[in-house]
């Protein structure tokens, strides 16, 4: 049983060669820490996104390990040098077979 | 026949406060857990304090979603770049909060995200430098709770 | 003999109490109305401003799917009647609550009316993900517009007065009224944060405390629990009257939905 959710990418569509661009990503996920309890006292099991990866023309340029200490609906901002036109692939993998993917194309001139 | 049972009960009652404290004490990470977690990352590498800009507001409105910004001083070129950035908490249930892995193509060692902070505490940042050492810094913050606690 | 024991201390206490109460009465005037947005940190303000970093955007996207969905017995969608929400829903959320068929209803109840009467579907459950999504989607179309509720009828005037009475009525084991905190003590610090004036101009909000989007009624019920009062039910007439009072009190303030709040 796999589950997925919405993700949003914010990054420019075009950039000059060699320019530094900023990428922001956000995924819809409750990030259940595993430390909360129900009203009757049972522990609610951990259910979080564990890793996030970003590839640029199939080369990994950013990776993050997430833990229960990450906020719900996790967002991240990072940078990359625009070297050539190409596709950015984004992937979130988490507990209980959670997988979300997204992509964006950058034109470099 | 009553006496041995009475002694046992007394001993148990005397031990009870200690037994209650012990599990509670392990629920949250202590400063020692944070130190251990950082030691596990650093290993035998040298550590230099400074060289990291760590933005964490000294007063947090809600610990569920705390924005942090980190920028490590580095030219980010193939022989001199930041390989990883780790964020460690002194007072969350678990010390490791967030780790990011960069490459020279990152251009800048600049990241931002939102984390959970359980309490007023010190938060550490470690940056693994490709030249074979760790840069380190910390910031202290106060976490307020919602005034009208809804339960 | 006992009465003369602490004369200067009790006089000092009474004087400072009078001073404290007079300060509070000066704060009572809401001539300078202020949204809870002003009390937030710059980072949280940015989170609200930029829909790409505002988690409520996910609810808006879900709401858009519901807007376009024809999955009902009539095989019609909201779009079938209302077409482009950017124009037809603009200025809608800022008018509610309104009177419909001798009942005071809020935006959620209007949406449910359309669900049952126009689409022959089961109304959404209050505070369900679906209702929050469609409400946030509709309410966002009014972002930036001023609140324009009115009481152009005896019905609405009565409803407003009931709402005002509820706002000023002491409740719960703590025996506090909304007004005592949110009017008389707005701007003072309680538990490390400033007490907001409690305007409804950003609802539904993504509340960091909930880590979720929630309605104004959820927030009002939370406040009632906070003063240890039994909260009014979702959709109750009392809560809608309170909504009408709060919206009227905030008339002219700019709509911020979807808001972010701590």
């Amino acid at each position: 049983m796999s589950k997925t959710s919405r993700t949003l990418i914010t990054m420019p569509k075009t950039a000059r060669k060699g320019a530094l661009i900023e990428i922001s990503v956000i995924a819809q996920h409750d990030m259940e820490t595993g430390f909360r309890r129900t009203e009757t006292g049972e522990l609610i099991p951990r259910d979080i996104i564990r890793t996030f990866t970003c590839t640029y023309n199939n080369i990994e340029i950013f990776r993050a390990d997430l833990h229960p200490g990450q906020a719900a609906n996790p967002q991240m901002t990072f940078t990359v040098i625009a070297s050539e036109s190409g596709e950015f692939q984004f992937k979130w993998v988490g507990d209980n077979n959670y997988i979300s993917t997204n992509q964006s194309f950058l034109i470099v001139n | 026949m009553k006496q041995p049972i009475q002694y046992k009960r007394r001993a148990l009652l005397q031990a009870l406060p200690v037994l209650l404290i012990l599990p509670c004490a392990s629920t949250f990470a202590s400063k020692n857990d944070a130190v251990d977690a950082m030691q596990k990352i650093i290993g035998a590498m040298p550590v230099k304090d400074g060289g990291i800009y760590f933005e964490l507001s000294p007063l947090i409105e809600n610990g569920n979603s705390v924005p942090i910004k980190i920028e490590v001083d580095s030219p980010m070129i193939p022989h001199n770049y930041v390989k990883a950035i780790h964020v460690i908490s002194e007072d969350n249930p678990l010390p490791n909060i967030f780790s990011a892995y960069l490459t020279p193509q990152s251009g800048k060692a600049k990241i931002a995200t939102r984390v959970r902070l359980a309490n007023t505490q010190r938060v550490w940042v470690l940056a693994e430098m490709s030249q074979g050492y760790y840069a380190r810094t910390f910031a202290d913050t106060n976490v307020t709770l919602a005034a009208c606690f809804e339960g | 003999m006992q009465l003369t024991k602490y004369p200067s201390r009790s006089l000092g206490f009474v004087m400072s109490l009078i001073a404290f109460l007079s300060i509070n009465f000066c704060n009572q005037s809401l001539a300078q109305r202020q949204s809870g947005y002003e009390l937030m940190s710059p980072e949280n303000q940015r989170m609200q401003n930029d829909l790409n970093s505002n988690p409520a955007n996910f609810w808006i996207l879900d709401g858009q799917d519901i807007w376009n969905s024809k999955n009902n017995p009539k095989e019609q969608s909201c779009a079938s009647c209302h077409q482009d929400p950017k124009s037809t829903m603009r200025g809608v959320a800022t008018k509610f609550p309104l009177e419909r068929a001798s009942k005071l209803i809020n935006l959620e109840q209007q949406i449910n009316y359309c669900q049952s009467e126009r689409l022959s579907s089961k109304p959404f459950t209050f505070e369900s993900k679906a209702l929050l999504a469609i409400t946030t989607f509709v309410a966002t179309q009014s972002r930036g517009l001023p609140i324009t509720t009115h009481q152009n009828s005896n019905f609405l005037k009565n409803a407003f007065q009931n709402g005002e009475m509820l706002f000023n009525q002491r409740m719960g084991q703590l025996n506090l009224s909304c007004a005592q905190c949110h009017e008389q003590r707005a701007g003072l610090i309680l538990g490390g944060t400033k007490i907001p004036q409690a305007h409804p101009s950003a609802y539904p909000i993504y509340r960091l405390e909930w880590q979720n989007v929630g309605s104004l009624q959820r927030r009002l019920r939370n406040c009632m629990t906070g003063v240890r009062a039994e909260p009014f039910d979702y959709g109750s007439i009392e809560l809608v009257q309170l909504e009408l009072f709060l919206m009227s009190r905030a008339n002219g303030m700019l709509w911020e939905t979807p808001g972010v709040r701590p």
Side-chain angles (χ1 to χ4, degrees):
Chain A
M1 180 198 84
S2 108
K3 49 175 197 180
T4 188
S5 69
R6 290 186 194 271
T7 58
L8 289 170
I9 311 294
T10 308
M11 61 179 279
K13 295 246 180 325
T14 63
R16 273 182 309 119
K17 192 173 163 77
L20 187 79
I21 63 166
E22 202 171 80
I23 302 177
S24 287
V25 304
I26 180 173
Q28 186 178 29
H29 199 288
D30 288 339
M31 299 294 282
E32 189 59 65
T33 60
F35 293 106
R36 294 201 312 156
R37 290 183 185 273
T38 63
E39 278 172 8
T40 45
E42 285 110 43
L43 259 185
I44 303 170
R46 178 174 311 171
D47 187 0
I48 63 168
I49 294 175
R50 295 279 184 170
T51 55
F52 166 77
T53 48
C54 173
T55 60
Y56 180 7
N57 283 336
N58 296 314
I59 296 172
E60 186 179 284
I61 52 116
F62 181 82
R63 194 172 88 247
D65 291 336
L66 292 107
H67 300 268
Q70 189 79 23
N73 301 305
Q75 40 189 240
M76 285 165 279
T77 304
F78 52 96
T79 57
V80 72
I81 295 178
S83 52
E84 55 186 6
S85 296
E87 189 171 57
F88 283 79
Q89 290 273 355
F90 307 90
K91 189 170 178 187
W92 293 257
V93 177
D95 296 327
N96 301 310
N97 298 314
Y98 173 91
I99 297 181
S100 278
T101 58
N102 208 330
Q103 51 283 323
S104 184
F105 200 86
L106 179 72
I107 296 171
V108 175
N109 41 39
Chain B
M1 291 312 113
K2 266 192 195 168
Q3 277 181 341
I5 297 172
Q6 276 177 346
Y7 279 131
K8 269 195 185 166
R9 194 194 299 164
R10 192 184 294 172
L12 182 67
L13 284 172
Q14 284 170 345
L16 206 54
V18 179
L19 291 172
L20 285 174
I21 288 168
L22 283 176
C24 293
S26 65
T27 306
F28 275 65
S30 63
K31 191 172 170 209
N32 289 333
D33 290 337
V35 167
D36 288 344
M38 288 197 284
Q39 190 49 55
K40 211 167 154 190
I41 294 170
I42 295 166
M45 298 279 224
V47 179
K48 285 189 203 168
D49 287 304
I52 304 175
Y53 168 74
F54 179 25
E55 192 179 292
L56 169 63
S57 177
L59 183 63
I60 304 297
E61 295 158 291
N62 193 295
N64 277 332
S65 180
V66 180
I68 59 171
K69 273 200 190 98
I70 297 165
E71 187 170 350
V72 186
D73 229 333
S74 167
M76 296 303 279
I77 54 179
H79 298 295
N80 188 358
Y81 70 102
V82 177
K83 292 170 96 170
I85 299 173
H86 303 280
V87 184
I88 310 288
S89 148
E90 274 194 8
D91 208 14
N92 276 10
L94 296 172
N96 299 71
I97 311 183
F98 180 75
S99 294
Y101 302 90
L102 312 175
T103 70
Q105 184 140 23
S106 302
K108 270 195 186 173
K110 186 174 163 196
I111 59 169
T113 187
R114 279 184 175 248
V115 297
R116 296 178 192 274
L117 291 181
N119 281 319
T120 291
Q121 62 178 284
R122 174 163 291 183
V123 183
W124 294 85
V125 175
L126 292 174
E128 184 186 350
M129 313 299 278
S130 68
Q131 292 176 309
Y133 70 96
Y134 276 85
R136 178 177 65 187
T137 192
F138 66 84
D140 293 325
T141 187
N142 287 306
V143 177
T144 64
L145 299 173
C148 264
F149 187 63
E150 309 151 4
Chain C
M1 281 296 246
Q2 279 168 337
L3 282 170
T4 57
K5 220 177 178 183
Y6 312 102
S8 53
R9 260 194 231 179
S10 51
L11 184 63
F13 173 73
V14 169
M15 296 291 279
S16 40
L17 184 63
I18 290 171
F20 181 71
L21 286 173
S22 2
I23 291 169
N24 290 327
F25 279 121
C26 289
N27 269 341
Q28 195 176 23
S29 143
L30 281 181
Q32 286 256 295
R33 284 177 311 176
Q34 185 191 53
S35 161
Y37 175 88
E38 314 282 346
L39 303 180
M40 293 203 300
S41 64
E43 291 85 21
N44 286 339
Q45 288 179 338
R46 269 195 288 271
M47 196 188 201
Q48 173 175 310
N49 297 341
D50 177 14
L51 280 184
N52 285 323
S53 62
N54 187 336
N57 201 0
F58 293 125
W59 277 257
I60 293 174
L61 293 169
D62 286 344
Q64 187 170 44
D65 284 348
I66 295 172
W67 178 269
N68 291 316
S69 162
K70 291 191 176 165
N71 188 11
N72 53 69
K74 286 269 166 76
E75 286 181 16
Q76 302 254 289
S77 64
C78 312
S80 307
C81 289
H82 297 289
Q83 282 152 17
D84 178 18
K86 279 194 177 58
S87 50
T88 58
M89 292 295 108
R90 190 161 168 74
V92 165
T94 43
K95 290 204 280 247
F96 278 85
L98 288 175
E99 178 192 356
R100 171 182 281 284
S102 303
K103 281 186 82 178
L104 185 69
I105 58 163
N106 64 8
L107 180 58
E108 285 89 338
Q109 287 164 319
Q110 173 64 55
I111 289 170
N112 270 343
Y113 171 86
C114 281
Q115 265 287 98
S116 52
E117 303 306 308
R118 301 277 178 256
L119 302 178
S120 299
S121 290
K122 196 159 156 276
F124 296 114
T125 312
F126 285 119
E127 219 60 23
S128 62
K129 194 142 193 234
L131 183 56
L132 286 167
I134 185 67
T135 308
T136 309
F137 176 73
V138 170
T140 301
Q141 310 306 324
S142 297
R143 196 176 231 215
L145 295 178
I147 293 177
T148 56
T149 47
H150 64 84
Q151 298 122 57
N152 295 351
S153 70
N154 284 333
F155 178 89
L156 287 173
K157 280 196 182 72
N158 282 338
F160 170 86
Q161 278 161 9
N162 283 340
E164 186 174 35
M165 183 202 71
L166 287 164
F167 188 79
N168 286 291
Q169 179 182 294
R170 285 174 182 267
M171 296 186 196
Q173 290 176 329
L174 296 189
N175 205 29
L176 283 171
S177 71
C178 314
Q180 282 177 287
C181 283
H182 294 293
E183 247 185 63
Q184 292 164 18
R185 289 166 185 78
L188 299 183
I189 301 208
L190 177 64
T193 34
K194 278 196 177 161
I195 299 173
Q197 292 177 359
H199 293 297
S201 44
Y203 281 85
I205 56 168
Y206 180 80
R207 195 172 183 218
L208 303 185
E209 179 69 19
W210 300 328
Q211 298 172 93
N212 229 320
V213 165
S215 68
L216 176 59
Q217 293 202 356
R218 177 176 180 178
R219 190 69 191 84
L220 295 175
R221 279 165 53 87
N222 287 167
C223 278
M224 293 182 74
T225 307
V227 299
R228 302 289 174 263
E230 184 74 40
F232 297 126
D233 287 331
Y234 281 111
S236 62
I237 186 64
E238 291 90 346
L239 282 183
V240 192
Q241 286 169 346
L242 258 174
E243 280 197 54
L244 177 63
F245 171 74
L246 290 172
M247 287 289 277
S248 306
R249 181 172 167 259
N251 253 342
M253 289 181 75
L254 298 183
W255 201 241
E256 297 170 31
T257 307
V260 167
R261 292 290 186 270

